[in-house]
Amino acid sequence: MLARFLVFTALLGSVAMPSQGAEEAASSKQADPIASRAVMTGEQVVQILDETVDWYRTLGTQQQAATQPSDLLILYANRQTADKVMALAFEIARANAELISSEAGAQQEQQEASSPESQSLMQIKQKLDEQRTELQSEIEGVRRQMGAASAQDRGDLQAKLAVLQGELDLINARRNLFANMTQYANENAGANALKAHIDAIAASIPSASGAPVTTTTTTTAGPAANATSVTSAVSTSLSQFGIWDLTATVLRLSAKARTIETVDRRTAELQEVFTQIRSLPLEQLKALAARGDALAAEADSEDRASLKRVRDQYDTIAWLFQQTSSIVTPLSKAEVLLTQYRNNLENWREATQRQSREAWRALGLRLVLFGALLALVFTAAEVWRRAVFRYVTDVRRRSRLLLLRKIVLWALVVAIAAATFATELGSLATFAGLITAGLAVAMQSVLVSVVGYFFLIGKYGIRVGDRVQVGSVTGEVIDLGLVRLHLMELSGQGGAMSPTGRVVAFANSIIFQASGGLFKQIPGINLAWHEITARLPTGADHAALKTRLIEAVSGVLKDYRDDILRQTQEIQRTASAHGTGDAQPQVQLRFSAEGVDAIVRYPVELQHAAEIDERVSREVLSVISAEPAASSAA
């Protein structure tokens, strides 16, 4: 592209029009290149700079997306190219600003040449110059006279010289005033404001204040090769990542690909803008070359005054050709640099796509492995469950095996998930240790309840259907969970207890509490001891009365003797206690403030407790009611 432009520029000077008539016709139709010097307006220059600066700032987005060594190499190459393009953009803007300033100056000179006010100012300035010249000549003559005059004449000449010098100072002051007014009138505010705006934009871009731009082309083969090698290294390391890191890598690479696509689109748009702009200065160069050829034809037949005018136009055309070339050349260089920039982005995009494919493949393999392991574990758990239901008939043992199955199942699931989601097992172990310590402190009560569950299902534990007492609550176990047990509350006395309809929940940690406690009958044992306190008559034979009470209660219990005896022996055998194996009623006498009380204690079967209590109470009342008569007779 740059070579073609240089060839085209070299040919501009030797282009000849087909005929003089065609040249005049063409020049009459197009604008005068000397009068219309700027190829772009000030607004267009500022707009191009803004677009270039916005494109340049995409380097920040690229820097955020660059995470691999190959990315950093490509980013470095892009930064060098972007700095050069930015400097070329400012070179184009400054060259066009000079053309705008020159065009405005030429227009102002033409206006001043035809303006009465400007002509009047020029006449006054010319008159002041003539007066200044005359005064300077007269002052020089007076000074020469002073050298040859006598002492008396020298004083007069000195006074005259002072007057002439004052008059000359006044003339100079008037000339300076008109010169300042003329200079202020000739200043172009628009061109100066444009130059100040360009300088302000350049001050905000670090690259704009750097060294001049060279035409050295940065190669992109190195970053591409490095990208390929780093991609292979990344694909090797991806096999060591967990699902979590692989998912993050896939998302990061997708975002990087979108960023590269956005930057490439912005670069293509800027390249298109530069391509469109380049046609305007090329047309201007053609017009300047044609105008130079036309002046060469005019120079052969003109007089001396016209030749001076032609020379001035030649100087103007040469300067305009140089300034316009200062726009075309950077535009061509910028187009080459932007093409190179897009090649770098293309290499980066290809490397990113390769990394993304490797990451997706590694993630897919990890997910398939994770699913296969989970399917294997759940299949083994189902086989375990069916084997337990088929070969284990004891309900308690079956529940324990099913609970163990559940614990093993979820432990394996957690271990598999941790191994497939985590990247480094060492960091996973540290993290798991910290999590375990935190859970142990935060869930202390829950963990104690879980431990209590294993005590509750032990040898003397409880099962669904057992009647237990927790503190002051008596109920039947309806559910025994890993953390809590639920009771159906029972109310009543003795064996005639009935459900209240309320479900009471207790944490399994109740077995570790010192107060309250948990009470449960031994399996197969339905025996309890009841007491009755009776007031003995005053003056009765307490020893004989005690004997009769024991006989009366024993008579009631003889109907339940066999079951009570069996259960008593079972209790003694379970407790490894030595005794007669018989539960006999007992009567204990005790003094009180009102007299002597007899405490009758006897065993009962819970299912017949109400019946036994009622019969024992009647017998005790019969014995005591028969005693007062004997006491009165005494």
Side-chain angles (χ1 to χ4, degrees):
M1 181 67 68
L2 182 60
R4 292 200 302 269
F5 163 71
L6 293 177
V7 173
F8 172 76
T9 305
L11 293 176
L12 283 177
S14 60
V15 173
M17 301 299 294
S19 64
Q20 186 69 23
E23 176 185 352
E24 293 176 355
S27 60
S28 62
K29 291 180 181 180
Q30 64 183 3
D32 186 4
I34 298 179
S36 178
R37 303 179 180 184
V39 296
M40 292 180 290
T41 63
E43 292 78 7
Q44 292 175 338
V45 171
V46 173
Q47 182 180 1
I48 291 172
L49 282 181
D50 290 341
E51 292 180 0
T52 308
V53 169
D54 291 340
W55 168 81
Y56 180 82
R57 287 173 179 167
T58 59
L59 288 172
T61 306
Q62 299 179 47
Q63 186 172 3
Q64 294 177 358
T67 55
Q68 301 294 333
S70 61
D71 300 344
L72 298 178
L73 291 175
I74 295 177
L75 176 63
Y76 176 78
N78 285 349
R79 186 177 295 278
Q80 298 296 319
T81 304
D83 290 342
K84 296 176 183 179
V85 172
M86 197 72 242
L88 290 172
F90 281 108
E91 183 178 345
I92 295 169
R94 290 190 173 98
N96 196 83
E98 291 295 334
L99 291 176
I100 292 176
S101 178
S102 176
E103 181 179 346
Q107 293 176 357
Q108 189 169 4
E109 288 178 359
Q110 294 178 359
Q111 292 177 359
E112 289 177 355
S114 60
S115 174
E117 293 81 1
S118 299
Q119 293 178 359
S120 176
L121 288 175
M122 293 298 296
Q123 292 176 0
I124 294 174
K125 184 176 181 296
Q126 185 177 2
K127 183 178 179 181
L128 290 174
D129 290 340
E130 293 175 355
Q131 293 177 359
R132 181 172 176 274
T133 302
E134 294 177 357
L135 286 173
Q136 288 178 346
S137 300
E138 189 173 355
I139 289 173
E140 290 295 330
V142 172
R143 287 178 178 175
R144 286 193 299 270
Q145 292 176 7
M146 287 177 62
S150 61
Q152 183 179 0
D153 294 337
R154 187 179 294 116
D156 296 337
L157 293 174
Q158 185 72 30
K160 184 178 180 180
L161 180 62
V163 173
L164 292 175
Q165 187 66 42
E167 188 176 355
L168 180 60
D169 292 339
L170 178 60
I171 294 297
N172 287 332
R174 294 175 64 187
R175 287 183 72 255
N176 291 335
L177 174 62
F178 282 106
N180 292 333
M181 293 176 61
T182 304
Q183 181 181 2
Y184 179 77
N186 291 334
E187 288 183 354
N188 187 272
N192 293 334
L194 177 60
K195 294 178 181 179
H197 196 170
I198 293 173
D199 293 337
I201 296 176
S204 64
I205 305 298
S207 64
S209 59
V213 179
T214 60
T215 58
T216 304
T217 303
T218 305
T219 179
T220 59
N226 290 328
T228 304
S229 61
V230 173
T231 301
S232 60
V234 170
S235 62
T236 303
S237 61
L238 284 176
S239 60
Q240 303 175 358
F241 286 175
I243 293 178
W244 187 265
D245 287 339
L246 285 174
T247 304
T249 302
V250 167
L251 295 177
R252 177 176 54 81
L253 291 175
S254 300
K256 183 192 295 186
R258 290 193 298 270
T259 299
I260 296 173
E261 185 66 28
T262 302
V263 174
D264 183 68
R265 186 173 62 253
R266 296 284 298 276
T267 306
E269 293 174 355
L270 183 64
Q271 190 175 18
E272 181 64 23
V273 170
F274 283 170
T275 302
Q276 294 176 357
I277 293 174
R278 198 164 63 91
S279 61
L280 298 176
L282 285 177
E283 295 294 332
Q284 183 75 356
L285 288 177
K286 291 180 182 179
L288 289 173
R291 183 61 181 272
D293 294 339
L295 287 176
E298 294 176 5
D300 297 337
S301 60
E302 297 291 343
D303 55 7
R304 181 177 298 177
S306 298
L307 289 176
K308 183 178 183 301
R309 179 181 58 80
V310 171
R311 180 180 178 181
D312 292 339
Q313 290 186 8
Y314 263 125
D315 293 339
T316 303
I317 291 174
W319 182 83
L320 291 177
F321 199 95
Q322 180 181 3
Q323 287 298 116
T324 308
S325 300
S326 299
I327 297 177
V328 177
T329 302
L331 284 173
S332 301
K333 293 179 181 179
E335 187 173 356
V336 174
L337 291 174
L338 289 176
T339 301
Q340 171 188 319
Y341 194 92
R342 296 192 66 186
N343 291 335
N344 292 341
L345 292 176
E346 181 63 26
N347 293 332
W348 195 4
R349 182 189 294 110
E350 292 177 358
T352 303
Q353 289 175 353
R354 286 193 295 269
Q355 294 175 11
S356 181
R357 288 193 295 269
E358 293 293 335
W360 274 110
R361 185 173 64 180
L363 178 61
L365 291 176
R366 280 301 182 101
L367 290 175
V368 170
L369 179 61
F370 179 61
L373 291 176
L374 287 182
L376 180 62
V377 168
F378 279 100
T379 302
E382 181 63 21
V383 172
W384 187 340
R385 187 186 68 83
R386 293 185 180 183
V388 167
F389 279 106
R390 182 173 181 179
Y391 297 106
V392 179
T393 57
D394 183 63
V395 177
R396 181 180 290 270
R397 187 178 179 185
R398 180 185 295 175
S399 63
R400 293 178 183 177
L401 290 175
L402 292 177
L403 175 62
L404 180 62
R405 164 190 168 274
K406 183 183 296 185
I407 295 174
V408 172
L409 171 63
W410 291 110
L412 289 176
V413 169
V414 171
I416 292 173
T420 53
F421 277 87
T423 301
E424 298 181 1
L425 294 180
S427 60
L428 175 63
T430 303
F431 179 74
L434 295 175
I435 288 295
T436 303
L439 290 176
V441 174
M443 304 181 65
Q444 182 178 2
S445 300
V446 176
L447 295 177
V448 173
S449 296
V450 173
V451 174
Y453 171 79
F454 293 97
F455 284 91
L456 289 176
I457 63 174
K459 181 178 180 181
Y460 296 104
I462 61 177
R463 66 184 67 183
V464 176
D466 289 348
R467 178 176 295 184
V468 297
Q469 180 180 352
V470 180
S472 60
V473 178
T474 302
E476 182 178 334
V477 178
I478 58 175
D479 179 65
L480 179 59
L482 192 63
V483 179
R484 295 182 300 178
L485 63 92
H486 295 81
L487 306 179
M488 175 61 72
E489 185 183 28
L490 301 176
S491 65
Q493 294 183 353
M497 301 185 72
S498 58
T500 63
R502 296 190 302 178
V503 177
V504 186
F506 292 96
N508 294 340
S509 59
I510 190 70
I511 63 173
F512 298 112
Q513 297 179 3
S515 60
L518 180 103
F519 302 93
K520 172 187 176 296
Q521 292 290 126
I522 298 176
I525 303 301
N526 195 20
L527 185 66
W529 288 85
H530 289 187
E531 293 182 355
I532 295 177
T533 302
R535 179 67 49 79
L536 299 181
T538 305
D541 187 356
H542 298 147
L545 192 56
K546 176 180 178 180
T547 302
R548 288 195 298 271
L549 288 174
I550 293 175
E551 292 175 353
V553 175
S554 298
V556 173
L557 296 178
K558 66 181 180 179
D559 296 334
Y560 314 97
R561 189 69 178 173
D562 295 337
D563 291 337
I564 293 176
L565 180 61
R566 179 185 58 78
Q567 295 184 33
T568 303
Q569 292 175 351
E570 182 66 25
I571 292 173
Q572 292 176 352
R573 184 166 51 252
T574 302
S576 300
H578 300 283
T580 60
D582 192 7
Q584 299 293 335
Q586 302 172 4
V587 176
Q588 181 181 2
L589 301 180
R590 185 178 61 185
F591 286 102
S592 64
E594 291 80 8
V596 179
D597 294 336
I599 301 175
V600 181
R601 190 169 181 270
Y602 52 93
V604 297
E605 290 182 299
L606 292 178
Q607 66 268 27
H608 304 294
E611 179 184 353
I612 294 174
D613 288 341
E614 184 177 358
R615 292 179 60 185
V616 169
S617 299
R618 285 200 303 267
E619 293 296 329
V620 170
L621 289 175
S622 299
V623 172
I624 293 176
S625 61
E627 185 64 23
S631 178
S632 299

